mmCIF file of all heavy atoms in Angstrom:
data_model
loop_
_atom_site.group_PDB
_atom_site.id
_atom_site.type_symbol
_atom_site.label_atom_id
_atom_site.label_comp_id
_atom_site.label_asym_id
_atom_site.label_seq_id
_atom_site.Cartn_x
_atom_site.Cartn_y
_atom_site.Cartn_z
ATOM 1 N N ILE A 1 -30.149 63.305 161.631
ATOM 2 C CA ILE A 1 -30.331 62.614 162.905
ATOM 3 C C ILE A 1 -30.008 63.580 164.033
ATOM 4 O O ILE A 1 -29.044 64.340 163.948
ATOM 5 C CB ILE A 1 -29.462 61.326 162.994
ATOM 6 C CG1 ILE A 1 -29.828 60.520 164.239
ATOM 7 C CG2 ILE A 1 -27.972 61.652 162.940
ATOM 8 C CD1 ILE A 1 -29.219 59.122 164.250
ATOM 9 N N PHE A 2 -30.817 63.577 165.076
ATOM 10 C CA PHE A 2 -30.546 64.426 166.229
ATOM 11 C C PHE A 2 -31.178 63.804 167.466
ATOM 12 O O PHE A 2 -32.038 62.924 167.366
ATOM 13 C CB PHE A 2 -31.042 65.857 166.006
ATOM 14 C CG PHE A 2 -32.495 65.995 165.659
ATOM 15 C CD1 PHE A 2 -33.433 66.362 166.629
ATOM 16 C CD2 PHE A 2 -32.947 65.801 164.368
ATOM 17 C CE1 PHE A 2 -34.768 66.516 166.309
ATOM 18 C CE2 PHE A 2 -34.289 65.943 164.033
ATOM 19 C CZ PHE A 2 -35.199 66.306 165.019
ATOM 20 N N ARG A 3 -30.735 64.280 168.630
ATOM 21 C CA ARG A 3 -31.202 63.730 169.906
ATOM 22 C C ARG A 3 -31.838 64.823 170.735
ATOM 23 O O ARG A 3 -31.530 66.007 170.584
ATOM 24 C CB ARG A 3 -30.030 63.125 170.692
ATOM 25 C CG ARG A 3 -29.478 61.878 170.091
ATOM 26 C CD ARG A 3 -28.191 61.405 170.737
ATOM 27 N NE ARG A 3 -28.413 60.654 171.961
ATOM 28 C CZ ARG A 3 -27.547 59.753 172.426
ATOM 29 N NH1 ARG A 3 -26.437 59.515 171.755
ATOM 30 N NH2 ARG A 3 -27.793 59.130 173.555
ATOM 31 N N SER A 4 -32.687 64.382 171.646
ATOM 32 C CA SER A 4 -33.303 65.320 172.584
ATOM 33 C C SER A 4 -32.244 65.824 173.555
ATOM 34 O O SER A 4 -31.173 65.238 173.703
ATOM 35 C CB SER A 4 -34.418 64.618 173.356
ATOM 36 O OG SER A 4 -33.874 63.563 174.145
ATOM 37 N N SER A 5 -32.560 66.906 174.250
ATOM 38 C CA SER A 5 -31.624 67.463 175.233
ATOM 39 C C SER A 5 -31.364 66.472 176.363
ATOM 40 O O SER A 5 -30.290 66.464 176.954
ATOM 41 C CB SER A 5 -32.158 68.776 175.792
ATOM 42 O OG SER A 5 -33.440 68.583 176.357
ATOM 43 N N ALA A 6 -32.337 65.626 176.656
ATOM 44 C CA ALA A 6 -32.162 64.600 177.686
ATOM 45 C C ALA A 6 -31.365 63.404 177.176
ATOM 46 O O ALA A 6 -31.034 62.509 177.959
ATOM 47 C CB ALA A 6 -33.519 64.134 178.195
ATOM 48 N N LYS A 7 -31.069 63.406 175.876
ATOM 49 C CA LYS A 7 -30.227 62.381 175.229
ATOM 50 C C LYS A 7 -30.872 61.004 175.142
ATOM 51 O O LYS A 7 -30.228 60.091 174.639
ATOM 52 C CB LYS A 7 -28.871 62.241 175.949
ATOM 53 C CG LYS A 7 -28.119 63.545 176.120
ATOM 54 C CD LYS A 7 -27.719 64.142 174.796
ATOM 55 C CE LYS A 7 -26.857 65.387 174.995
ATOM 56 N NZ LYS A 7 -26.547 66.044 173.707
ATOM 57 N N ASN A 8 -32.127 60.841 175.589
ATOM 58 C CA ASN A 8 -32.713 59.510 175.566
ATOM 59 C C ASN A 8 -33.683 59.294 174.410
ATOM 60 O O ASN A 8 -34.302 58.237 174.302
ATOM 61 C CB ASN A 8 -33.426 59.223 176.888
ATOM 62 C CG ASN A 8 -34.608 60.157 177.124
ATOM 63 O OD1 ASN A 8 -34.676 61.236 176.557
ATOM 64 N ND2 ASN A 8 -35.526 59.727 177.971
ATOM 65 N N THR A 9 -33.837 60.299 173.566
ATOM 66 C CA THR A 9 -34.689 60.175 172.396
ATOM 67 C C THR A 9 -33.873 60.555 171.161
ATOM 68 O O THR A 9 -33.180 61.571 171.165
ATOM 69 C CB THR A 9 -35.922 61.071 172.493
ATOM 70 O OG1 THR A 9 -36.639 60.757 173.687
ATOM 71 C CG2 THR A 9 -36.837 60.863 171.298
ATOM 72 N N VAL A 10 -33.972 59.727 170.138
ATOM 73 C CA VAL A 10 -33.284 60.030 168.896
ATOM 74 C C VAL A 10 -34.325 60.169 167.792
ATOM 75 O O VAL A 10 -35.325 59.451 167.771
ATOM 76 C CB VAL A 10 -32.238 58.939 168.545
ATOM 77 C CG1 VAL A 10 -32.900 57.592 168.279
ATOM 78 C CG2 VAL A 10 -31.397 59.348 167.342
ATOM 79 N N TYR A 11 -34.084 61.123 166.923
ATOM 80 C CA TYR A 11 -35.000 61.403 165.827
ATOM 81 C C TYR A 11 -34.274 61.219 164.494
ATOM 82 O O TYR A 11 -33.061 61.429 164.393
ATOM 83 C CB TYR A 11 -35.506 62.847 165.908
ATOM 84 C CG TYR A 11 -36.186 63.191 167.199
ATOM 85 C CD1 TYR A 11 -35.456 63.721 168.268
ATOM 86 C CD2 TYR A 11 -37.554 62.997 167.359
ATOM 87 C CE1 TYR A 11 -36.085 64.046 169.467
ATOM 88 C CE2 TYR A 11 -38.182 63.322 168.553
ATOM 89 C CZ TYR A 11 -37.439 63.840 169.594
ATOM 90 O OH TYR A 11 -38.060 64.157 170.777
ATOM 91 N N LEU A 12 -35.036 60.871 163.485
ATOM 92 C CA LEU A 12 -34.511 60.814 162.126
ATOM 93 C C LEU A 12 -35.471 61.579 161.230
ATOM 94 O O LEU A 12 -36.586 61.116 160.981
ATOM 95 C CB LEU A 12 -34.350 59.379 161.642
ATOM 96 C CG LEU A 12 -33.684 59.225 160.271
ATOM 97 C CD1 LEU A 12 -32.210 59.640 160.352
ATOM 98 C CD2 LEU A 12 -33.806 57.793 159.756
ATOM 99 N N GLN A 13 -35.053 62.752 160.810
ATOM 100 C CA GLN A 13 -35.838 63.546 159.877
ATOM 101 C C GLN A 13 -35.455 63.119 158.473
ATOM 102 O O GLN A 13 -34.292 63.241 158.083
ATOM 103 C CB GLN A 13 -35.563 65.030 160.080
ATOM 104 C CG GLN A 13 -36.283 65.934 159.105
ATOM 105 C CD GLN A 13 -37.792 65.898 159.268
ATOM 106 O OE1 GLN A 13 -38.305 65.856 160.392
ATOM 107 N NE2 GLN A 13 -38.517 65.895 158.153
ATOM 108 N N MET A 14 -36.426 62.622 157.729
ATOM 109 C CA MET A 14 -36.176 62.100 156.388
ATOM 110 C C MET A 14 -36.884 62.976 155.366
ATOM 111 O O MET A 14 -38.111 63.073 155.381
ATOM 112 C CB MET A 14 -36.662 60.651 156.290
ATOM 113 C CG MET A 14 -36.062 59.739 157.345
ATOM 114 S SD MET A 14 -36.519 58.011 157.133
ATOM 115 C CE MET A 14 -38.289 58.096 157.484
ATOM 116 N N ASN A 15 -36.112 63.603 154.502
ATOM 117 C CA ASN A 15 -36.654 64.474 153.462
ATOM 118 C C ASN A 15 -36.327 63.912 152.080
ATOM 119 O O ASN A 15 -35.443 63.069 151.940
ATOM 120 C CB ASN A 15 -36.066 65.878 153.598
ATOM 121 C CG ASN A 15 -36.365 66.505 154.940
ATOM 122 O OD1 ASN A 15 -37.464 66.360 155.481
ATOM 123 N ND2 ASN A 15 -35.390 67.223 155.494
ATOM 124 N N SER A 16 -37.034 64.414 151.090
ATOM 125 C CA SER A 16 -36.798 63.982 149.702
ATOM 126 C C SER A 16 -36.762 62.460 149.589
ATOM 127 O O SER A 16 -35.878 61.885 148.961
ATOM 128 C CB SER A 16 -35.487 64.578 149.175
ATOM 129 O OG SER A 16 -35.504 65.980 149.236
ATOM 130 N N LEU A 17 -37.739 61.840 150.197
ATOM 131 C CA LEU A 17 -37.788 60.373 150.194
ATOM 132 C C LEU A 17 -38.020 59.839 148.790
ATOM 133 O O LEU A 17 -38.727 60.464 147.973
ATOM 134 C CB LEU A 17 -38.879 59.886 151.140
ATOM 135 C CG LEU A 17 -38.538 60.010 152.633
ATOM 136 C CD1 LEU A 17 -39.795 59.973 153.478
ATOM 137 C CD2 LEU A 17 -37.578 58.891 153.035
ATOM 138 N N ASN A 18 -37.429 58.695 148.512
ATOM 139 C CA ASN A 18 -37.636 58.018 147.236
ATOM 140 C C ASN A 18 -37.951 56.547 147.490
ATOM 141 O O ASN A 18 -37.753 56.053 148.615
ATOM 142 C CB ASN A 18 -36.420 58.200 146.325
ATOM 143 C CG ASN A 18 -35.147 57.669 146.940
ATOM 144 O OD1 ASN A 18 -35.050 56.473 147.213
ATOM 145 N ND2 ASN A 18 -34.163 58.539 147.145
ATOM 146 N N PRO A 19 -38.472 55.850 146.498
ATOM 147 C CA PRO A 19 -38.886 54.454 146.714
ATOM 148 C C PRO A 19 -37.765 53.556 147.245
ATOM 149 O O PRO A 19 -38.048 52.573 147.941
ATOM 150 C CB PRO A 19 -39.347 54.014 145.320
ATOM 151 C CG PRO A 19 -39.855 55.274 144.695
ATOM 152 C CD PRO A 19 -38.912 56.344 145.175
ATOM 153 N N GLU A 20 -36.511 53.905 146.952
ATOM 154 C CA GLU A 20 -35.390 53.099 147.453
ATOM 155 C C GLU A 20 -35.224 53.211 148.974
ATOM 156 O O GLU A 20 -34.487 52.429 149.577
ATOM 157 C CB GLU A 20 -34.091 53.511 146.772
ATOM 158 C CG GLU A 20 -33.976 53.115 145.292
ATOM 159 C CD GLU A 20 -34.924 53.905 144.399
ATOM 160 O OE1 GLU A 20 -35.102 55.125 144.639
ATOM 161 O OE2 GLU A 20 -35.500 53.303 143.465
ATOM 162 N N ASP A 21 -35.892 54.164 149.583
ATOM 163 C CA ASP A 21 -35.850 54.313 151.043
ATOM 164 C C ASP A 21 -36.863 53.404 151.736
ATOM 165 O O ASP A 21 -36.881 53.340 152.977
ATOM 166 C CB ASP A 21 -36.119 55.760 151.437
ATOM 167 C CG ASP A 21 -35.054 56.714 150.939
ATOM 168 O OD1 ASP A 21 -33.857 56.399 151.082
ATOM 169 O OD2 ASP A 21 -35.419 57.790 150.412
ATOM 170 N N THR A 22 -37.692 52.714 150.976
ATOM 171 C CA THR A 22 -38.680 51.815 151.554
ATOM 172 C C THR A 22 -37.987 50.679 152.293
ATOM 173 O O THR A 22 -37.142 49.986 151.737
ATOM 174 C CB THR A 22 -39.593 51.245 150.455
ATOM 175 O OG1 THR A 22 -40.352 52.314 149.878
ATOM 176 C CG2 THR A 22 -40.536 50.196 151.031
ATOM 177 N N ALA A 23 -38.337 50.512 153.570
ATOM 178 C CA ALA A 23 -37.702 49.494 154.409
ATOM 179 C C ALA A 23 -38.349 49.517 155.787
ATOM 180 O O ALA A 23 -39.132 50.427 156.101
ATOM 181 C CB ALA A 23 -36.206 49.764 154.548
ATOM 182 N N VAL A 24 -37.991 48.539 156.592
ATOM 183 C CA VAL A 24 -38.293 48.603 158.015
ATOM 184 C C VAL A 24 -37.110 49.296 158.689
ATOM 185 O O VAL A 24 -35.961 48.895 158.489
ATOM 186 C CB VAL A 24 -38.512 47.204 158.624
ATOM 187 C CG1 VAL A 24 -38.758 47.324 160.126
ATOM 188 C CG2 VAL A 24 -39.676 46.509 157.938
ATOM 189 N N TYR A 25 -37.402 50.319 159.442
ATOM 190 C CA TYR A 25 -36.373 51.104 160.111
ATOM 191 C C TYR A 25 -36.317 50.703 161.590
ATOM 192 O O TYR A 25 -37.349 50.662 162.270
ATOM 193 C CB TYR A 25 -36.663 52.587 159.978
ATOM 194 C CG TYR A 25 -36.337 53.126 158.607
ATOM 195 C CD1 TYR A 25 -37.088 52.751 157.486
ATOM 196 C CD2 TYR A 25 -35.257 53.986 158.398
ATOM 197 C CE1 TYR A 25 -36.772 53.212 156.218
ATOM 198 C CE2 TYR A 25 -34.948 54.465 157.136
ATOM 199 C CZ TYR A 25 -35.711 54.070 156.045
ATOM 200 O OH TYR A 25 -35.399 54.532 154.788
ATOM 201 N N TYR A 26 -35.099 50.423 162.055
ATOM 202 C CA TYR A 26 -34.883 49.969 163.424
ATOM 203 C C TYR A 26 -34.027 50.969 164.188
ATOM 204 O O TYR A 26 -32.985 51.414 163.687
ATOM 205 C CB TYR A 26 -34.163 48.625 163.444
ATOM 206 C CG TYR A 26 -34.936 47.487 162.824
ATOM 207 C CD1 TYR A 26 -34.807 47.181 161.472
ATOM 208 C CD2 TYR A 26 -35.806 46.721 163.598
ATOM 209 C CE1 TYR A 26 -35.516 46.146 160.904
ATOM 210 C CE2 TYR A 26 -36.518 45.674 163.039
ATOM 211 C CZ TYR A 26 -36.362 45.391 161.693
ATOM 212 O OH TYR A 26 -37.067 44.345 161.141
ATOM 213 N N CYS A 27 -34.462 51.257 165.372
ATOM 214 C CA CYS A 27 -33.668 52.084 166.279
ATOM 215 C C CYS A 27 -32.654 51.201 166.995
ATOM 216 O O CYS A 27 -32.961 50.063 167.374
ATOM 217 C CB CYS A 27 -34.599 52.753 167.284
ATOM 218 S SG CYS A 27 -33.763 53.736 168.542
ATOM 219 N N ASN A 28 -31.459 51.722 167.184
ATOM 220 C CA ASN A 28 -30.404 51.002 167.895
ATOM 221 C C ASN A 28 -29.830 51.890 168.980
ATOM 222 O O ASN A 28 -29.634 53.091 168.774
ATOM 223 C CB ASN A 28 -29.302 50.602 166.913
ATOM 224 C CG ASN A 28 -28.082 50.037 167.609
ATOM 225 O OD1 ASN A 28 -27.138 50.767 167.934
ATOM 226 N ND2 ASN A 28 -28.090 48.748 167.848
ATOM 227 N N ALA A 29 -29.567 51.294 170.129
ATOM 228 C CA ALA A 29 -28.933 52.017 171.231
ATOM 229 C C ALA A 29 -27.757 51.198 171.745
ATOM 230 O O ALA A 29 -27.886 49.987 171.949
ATOM 231 C CB ALA A 29 -29.928 52.263 172.353
ATOM 232 N N ARG A 30 -26.640 51.874 171.908
ATOM 233 C CA ARG A 30 -25.437 51.202 172.381
ATOM 234 C C ARG A 30 -25.162 51.614 173.832
ATOM 235 O O ARG A 30 -25.047 52.811 174.126
ATOM 236 C CB ARG A 30 -24.244 51.568 171.495
ATOM 237 C CG ARG A 30 -22.960 50.869 171.857
ATOM 238 C CD ARG A 30 -22.028 50.814 170.665
ATOM 239 N NE ARG A 30 -22.595 50.006 169.577
ATOM 240 C CZ ARG A 30 -22.040 49.902 168.377
ATOM 241 N NH1 ARG A 30 -20.930 50.556 168.088
ATOM 242 N NH2 ARG A 30 -22.601 49.154 167.460
ATOM 243 N N LEU A 31 -25.083 50.629 174.699
ATOM 244 C CA LEU A 31 -24.792 50.870 176.108
ATOM 245 C C LEU A 31 -23.639 49.968 176.529
ATOM 246 O O LEU A 31 -23.234 49.073 175.775
ATOM 247 C CB LEU A 31 -26.015 50.547 176.981
ATOM 248 C CG LEU A 31 -27.245 51.430 176.825
ATOM 249 C CD1 LEU A 31 -28.143 50.957 175.697
ATOM 250 C CD2 LEU A 31 -28.036 51.463 178.127
ATOM 251 N N SER A 32 -23.142 50.166 177.736
ATOM 252 C CA SER A 32 -22.084 49.289 178.244
ATOM 253 C C SER A 32 -22.588 47.856 178.372
ATOM 254 O O SER A 32 -21.809 46.910 178.322
ATOM 255 C CB SER A 32 -21.580 49.798 179.590
ATOM 256 O OG SER A 32 -22.616 49.816 180.539
ATOM 257 N N LEU A 33 -23.899 47.701 178.527
ATOM 258 C CA LEU A 33 -24.505 46.371 178.650
ATOM 259 C C LEU A 33 -24.574 45.655 177.299
ATOM 260 O O LEU A 33 -24.754 44.437 177.255
ATOM 261 C CB LEU A 33 -25.917 46.499 179.226
ATOM 262 C CG LEU A 33 -26.039 47.159 180.606
ATOM 263 C CD1 LEU A 33 -27.511 47.394 180.943
ATOM 264 C CD2 LEU A 33 -25.389 46.293 181.669
#
């Protein structure tokens, strides 16, 4: 997992995937709100 220099984009590089990784993936952001 890593973020852009502007900190507003997050990436998830997934390697060596296997069938157990099958799912719906959700992005989450935590703010004061």
Side-chain angles (χ1 to χ4, degrees):
I1 188 169
F2 56 100
R3 290 171 82 155
S4 63
S5 57
K7 307 296 185 185
N8 64 338
T9 303
V10 64
Y11 303 91
L12 185 68
Q13 177 65 40
M14 305 185 293
N15 301 321
S16 302
L17 286 160
N18 59 62
E20 289 70 39
D21 296 314
T22 295
V24 177
Y25 284 69
Y26 296 91
C27 176
N28 171 268
R30 183 156 296 173
L31 293 86
S32 61
L33 301 172

